[in-house]
Amino acid sequence: MFQIKIRPYLDYSQEEILSLYTSVGWSNYTKRPNVLKNAFEHSLFIFAAYKNEQLAGIVRVVGDGYSIIYIQDLLVHPNHQRQKIGTELVQAVLKKYNTVPQIVLLTDNTPKTTQFYQSLGLHSSDKFGCISFVKMQF
């Protein structure tokens, strides 16, 4: 039997983080490991999910922590997906920042991701009469 433990991610390990990002195919990050390391070091907060003391997932939060946060990265290793790990990670963020009025997330527009985030109480910005603008620089 396994138990998932969610806890703050405090000690950056390049090997385990690059392995996790590689496992989900996020090569924009893995091509630039120094950028990824700096992103982690400058994040507002990071939660990690451990399964039998092995890193199974991570959620990274950026923002000011008072008026707005962005759920920047949510990753769960493919071997551990569909086990509620992503749900537990997002719920940990929502609990920690339950007084922050604006929580933002940018993700792929697929039925799977839409259903997942809506099940956690997040909504498309158009529900609030908003639109988002993005400039990607790869």
Side-chain angles (χ1 to χ4, degrees):
M1 184 74 179
F2 68 88
Q3 183 179 15
I4 300 299
K5 295 180 184 172
I6 306 294
R7 60 182 185 239
Y9 188 79
L10 303 174
D11 298 313
Y12 183 82
S13 165
Q14 184 165 310
E15 180 181 341
E16 73 179 352
I17 293 300
L18 286 177
S19 176
L20 179 61
Y21 278 73
T22 298
S23 77
V24 296
W26 287 21
S27 60
N28 186 47
Y29 286 98
T30 58
K31 289 180 195 174
R32 303 178 312 167
N34 288 337
V35 170
L36 184 59
K37 181 178 189 285
N38 284 327
F40 266 73
E41 290 174 352
H42 292 90
S43 294
L44 181 62
F45 201 85
I46 303 164
F47 279 110
Y50 291 89
K51 181 177 176 183
N52 300 328
E53 297 304 314
Q54 180 182 3
L55 183 66
I58 204 144
V59 64
R60 191 165 68 85
V61 180
V62 298
D64 61 31
Y66 294 94
S67 66
I68 190 168
I69 64 164
Y70 288 80
I71 298 175
Q72 179 60 31
D73 294 345
L74 173 64
L75 298 88
V76 177
H77 192 284
N79 293 342
H80 305 295
Q81 292 178 0
R82 312 294 302 163
Q83 298 174 24
K84 304 279 187 202
I85 294 171
T87 297
E88 289 187 36
L89 285 166
V90 173
Q91 287 174 338
V93 170
L94 297 177
K95 182 177 179 182
K96 179 172 178 60
Y97 295 101
N98 67 349
T99 61
V100 175
Q102 191 173 14
I103 297 171
V104 180
L105 171 92
L106 182 66
T107 189
D108 298 330
N109 186 9
T110 67
K112 179 181 170 183
T113 56
T114 298
Q115 181 180 17
F116 173 71
Y117 289 111
Q118 285 178 342
S119 76
L120 295 169
L122 284 79
H123 304 280
S124 175
S125 63
D126 63 353
K127 179 180 179 182
F128 304 102
C130 297
I131 186 170
S132 63
F133 296 90
V134 178
K135 180 178 181 182
M136 299 289 204
Q137 301 186 132
F138 297 108

